[in-house]
Amino acid sequence: MPVPKTLYETKEMRSFYYYARYIVARIFYLSLGLKVKKQFLYINKCWNEKNNREPEIFKHTIENKKLNYCERKEISKNSPEYIKPTTKKMLIEQSEKLKERTDLYKRKTSGTTGEPTKIYLNRHELGKLLAVRDYCYRHYNIKLGYREGRVWARSNRDIGTFFKDFLLNRKTFYPTSEEALEQTTSLLKYKPQYLYGYSSLILELSKIIVTNKLEVPQIKCVICTAEPILTSQKVHLESIFSCPVVEEYGSTEFDILAFECRKGHMHQVNPWIKIEVENSTTMITDFSRTTQKIIRYLIGDHFDIAQTQCTLLGSNNIITNLEGRSTDRYAFDKNGTKFHSVELSRSIGKYQKLNDTYFTFHILQKELGKIILYLPYELQEKSTKIRNFIESEITHNTNLKIEIKIIIVQPQEVRKETKKNSYFTQCINT
């Protein structure tokens, strides 16, 4: 009896096609002079040092000094160059001087964290950033160049973008607005090997899948980026996609800075980068960057650095309490006593876990002691229960009292379509 054509296509032809597209993507990197594999092997060797999990480049620095690789000289903490951190304005000024060079690759920030910024990289620098990504992906049995379903915000999709996506073996989907169902079904038919995208949009994708009882193909991993995601929401996504759901933290300037291991730790993963947190200010130095001078760059986000004994991925340094921009780090009670804004999202996460549910939300504080919580309209009947739970949790965890006002809005108003989502925004001038 002949094998049905559809079975042959799904099992043999599709496997061959996937592999061929992966090879095309890797050849594309090689054609650009991006030595991703070579840099990956260095990164892997660097982080496999069990006794001293510090990158080789830091072993050769002198105590209290930084290597300025832009000028191949050492600069001490007392030098003006080190004392004065690199601001976004300074980085923009550097970029303006490089915009006419045709031998550099350009990356652009969207401007959601301030002014839009262009970043210029030579092929060695870009190759290192891609190798860090490859190193992180392989922790979940993915390789850079595997078939990617990108869940992203809408943008201008010109012919150049489509050509780039084809060469990189990825396709972009936007599961919201009137095209949500169509975009979701197209993504599932595309049968990606992994998903990558905005946390809130992936959550929207899962909601459409559940509501319409759509069949999900086998996926190796779901990678959430650009926006925070709660543990309860990860558990929800894992039940739908039947695979690990992990979080990365990075920026356009540096790509991936930290990546979540299988035990849930957010490890620093770029061996050429030093992260410093001083007086609630986060600064990043890239020792490998020669095209642009990036010393103690004020990235604008705030998080804490902790140590772990976990050796599954990257450094022993892990990022904790990552919650939005630096200005949104704290909420305040009516007396002006501050508490970490992560307590708000954690309380909502606990509610979601206890009630086996998930929902999008946004928290805004405009005045002391009062919090505005935006929830989608389907939670209107549960709003009082949610409010009482959060107020009780905050009091229990911080010994402070806050008043919560809930505003019910349409789902698209919880998350603005053209902006990255943050759980908390603080507009108090303190």
Side-chain angles (χ1 to χ4, degrees), residues 371-415:
I371 299 290
I372 300 173
L373 174 60
Y374 294 91
L375 295 176
Y377 68 92
E378 63 263 25
L379 293 175
Q380 187 165 7
E381 294 183 359
K382 299 179 180 179
S383 61
T384 300
K385 180 182 178 182
I386 295 172
R387 182 195 67 203
N388 293 339
F389 181 88
I390 297 170
E391 288 180 348
S392 176
E393 279 294 301
I394 294 300
T395 300
H396 178 267
N397 294 330
T398 67
N399 291 322
L400 302 174
K401 289 186 178 181
I402 58 169
E403 177 186 333
I404 292 180
K405 176 183 178 181
I406 291 182
I407 297 179
I408 301 297
V409 296
Q410 293 295 321
Q412 62 268 25
E413 295 176 2
V414 178
R415 179 196 186 279

Side-chain angles (χ1 to χ4, degrees), residues 177-189:
S177 70
E178 67 279 356
E179 302 174 7
L181 180 58
E182 179 185 351
Q183 287 281 303
T184 301
T185 53
S186 296
L187 185 152
L188 298 178
K189 288 180 181 178

